[in-house]
Amino acid sequence: DSISLQPLNSRVDILGIESKRYFEIFPPDGPGYGLFEQNRIERRIRWRLLLSGSDQDEIRLNTDRALVECRLLRDRTSAPIDLMLWRDHTGILVYGKTPSVLDLPGEAPARGFRKYFSLLWAQGRDLALQA
């Protein structure tokens, strides 16, 4: 639903640890991932990923993805959550034995998280994903 409700030609900011963890839950060869990506691309929704994974892994996992921009944080970290900052809500992906998503509704919290994201984004190092 989140991708369908996101405005056309918009952007979702994602603060995460590494793409590998995301793809373990949503494998690229799985039906959910393909449908989600197709809908995202048709609606021209860009991902801005801010991660602390390795250059090689992030390039390998994201080079073929359309509308994705990625930066890596200088310091590596590990945490059991990723944040997805949509226009009017914040998704908190909690990784564990059984992954779950917490949804924090409202544009105000999403705006607040985006301000923090912007500060970190400015400190990130661009990762060239286009071959």
Side-chain angles (χ1 to χ4, degrees):
D1 289 343
S2 292
I3 207 75
S4 297
L5 297 173
Q6 185 73 8
L8 296 171
N9 299 306
S10 65
R11 182 184 77 219
V12 175
D13 292 332
I14 300 168
L15 176 60
I17 301 303
E18 60 185 6
S19 297
K20 182 173 94 174
R21 180 165 74 172
Y22 177 81
F23 288 124
E24 287 172 359
I25 295 172
F26 302 106
D29 58 352
Y33 176 82
L35 184 59
F36 186 82
E37 280 291 282
Q38 178 183 349
N39 196 5
R40 181 180 71 81
I41 292 164
E42 286 174 359
R43 297 178 57 75
R44 308 274 317 147
I45 298 171
R46 299 175 318 280
W47 277 165
R48 222 171 40 156
L49 305 174
L50 183 58
L51 307 167
S52 71
S54 75
D55 289 38
Q56 298 85 0
D57 286 344
E58 297 308 330
I59 289 169
R60 178 177 53 81
L61 292 169
N62 291 299
T63 293
D64 294 333
R65 297 177 75 197
L67 304 173
V68 171
E69 182 179 2
C70 184
R71 286 191 179 179
L72 295 179
L73 294 168
R74 181 183 63 228
D75 297 325
R76 306 281 308 262
T77 187
S78 179
I81 64 168
D82 291 346
L83 297 175
M84 297 186 76
L85 309 174
W86 302 88
R87 177 185 55 88
D88 61 355
H89 66 103
T90 302
I92 303 171
L93 236 59
V94 181
Y95 295 90
K97 195 172 197 173
T98 304
S100 57
V101 177
L102 303 172
D103 188 57
L104 182 59
E107 289 183 36
R111 260 194 323 274
F113 277 116
R114 271 194 298 278
K115 286 183 181 188
Y116 286 116
F117 180 92
S118 293
L119 290 171
L120 292 170
W121 182 260
Q123 297 173 33
R125 178 175 48 82
D126 279 325
L127 187 62
L129 295 179
Q130 307 314 317

